Amino acid sequence: MADELGKEAVERFRASHNMVEVPIWGVDAPLNQLIDGDGRRFKEVETNLWVCLDRESGGNIAYLGTGRHGDRINLRALYVKVEDGRWLNAQTGAGAPFSDESKASW
């Protein structure tokens, strides 16, 4: 039942948010930030888990950093913050496996 409720919440989120893959075009190594083609910056909140610093265009999606051999870094939605404030897996609807304190800092 909880998984079904989570899946439904994720589907509602998907219907109202742009969840496309984000290609990364630059890296600010001193600040440990990734930069996309629109200049948006992403900070690492957990190992290889990134959120957009611009809360207006992000902040409710946590991305997994991925790449292909010889290609650029791409960010793919892994967790989404749904309307009731829960962070859920963007595919399964399961809760994000991080402490509440950690998720609050995202």
Side-chain angles (χ1 to χ4, degrees):
M1 179 90 154
D3 282 347
E4 286 305 313
L5 293 175
K7 286 180 182 179
E8 289 173 14
V10 168
E11 287 306 315
R12 286 191 302 275
F13 184 92
R14 284 181 175 278
S16 62
H17 292 80
N18 186 7
M19 291 183 48
V20 298
E21 189 171 289
V22 179
I24 297 302
W25 291 87
V27 176
D28 186 334
L31 293 177
N32 191 33
Q33 295 177 355
L34 302 177
I35 306 165
D36 74 2
D38 294 327
R40 295 181 307 164
R41 290 176 171 261
F42 296 80
K43 71 174 183 174
E44 190 173 31
V45 294
E46 300 287 342
T47 302
N48 203 27
L49 192 64
W50 303 83
V51 295
C52 185
L53 290 172
D54 177 4
R55 295 294 182 183
E56 295 213 8
S57 64
N60 52 6
I61 302 175
Y63 298 90
L64 177 67
T66 64
R68 295 182 200 109
H69 183 69
D71 202 2
R72 69 181 67 254
I73 297 168
N74 291 295
L75 300 180
R76 293 184 181 156
L78 182 57
Y79 298 108
V80 296
K81 187 176 183 181
V82 296
E83 65 270 359
D84 64 6
R86 293 179 296 155
W87 281 95
L88 302 176
N89 183 290
Q91 301 301 315
T92 67
F98 302 100
S99 71
D100 289 340
E101 180 179 275
S102 177
K103 291 183 283 189
S105 71
W106 299 357

